[in-house]
Amino acid sequence: MTQLPNCPQCQSEFTYEDGESYVCPECGHEWAKQANTDAGEAAKVVTDAYGNVLQDGDSVTVIKDLKVKGSSAVVKVGTKVRNIRLVDGDHDIDCKIDGIGVMGLKSEFVKKA
């Protein structure tokens, strides 16, 4: 007999197969079989405004004037940012900009240099 996965909501071990999904009889939760196998393989790909794939350590250039929240400073168009770090969240990029300091940028406002 094959080992079925525990329920992701209530951790019950009494799950069963129903066509292309698993069902938990205790809490009624249903989930697809494919989601269980592909969950670890999906990696987030971050792209710049032109569709180029970004990676940690890349250099990017700002393509739009960006106001710095909580300050009167502005990151001007053409500002080059070196050694970016990709993160999860609302802002995809953590970086340090000369003259401004550490900040987060959205990948839609940069292009790969």
Side-chain angles (χ1 to χ4, degrees):
M1 186 168 169
T2 61
Q3 179 66 23
L4 297 175
N6 290 348
C7 176
Q9 283 191 340
C10 69
Q11 300 304 319
S12 171
E13 59 185 26
F14 302 112
T15 57
Y16 63 91
E17 294 179 75
D18 185 24
E20 293 298 317
S21 62
Y22 294 116
V23 179
C24 175
E26 292 185 1
C27 69
H29 180 66
E30 295 183 22
W31 68 100
K33 290 180 183 178
Q34 288 293 66
N36 190 31
T37 59
D38 295 338
E41 298 174 14
K44 183 178 177 190
V45 176
V46 178
T47 58
D48 68 359
Y50 300 104
N52 299 318
V53 177
L54 297 175
Q55 297 177 350
D56 286 342
D58 282 347
S59 294
V60 295
T61 305
V62 178
I63 62 170
K64 178 182 176 183
D65 284 345
L66 301 173
K67 295 179 183 178
V68 179
K69 197 173 201 176
S71 173
S72 61
V74 175
V75 179
K76 295 286 187 180
V77 171
T79 302
K80 189 166 184 175
V81 181
R82 294 184 307 257
N83 199 17
I84 64 170
R85 187 170 53 113
L86 302 179
V87 295
D88 291 332
D90 186 33
H91 292 76
D92 304 312
I93 300 170
D94 273 349
C95 61
K96 183 177 181 182
I97 299 176
D98 294 335
I100 295 176
V102 178
M103 67 181 304
L105 295 173
K106 291 187 177 183
S107 60
E108 63 198 55
F109 298 122
V110 299
K111 69 176 180 178
K112 192 169 184 175

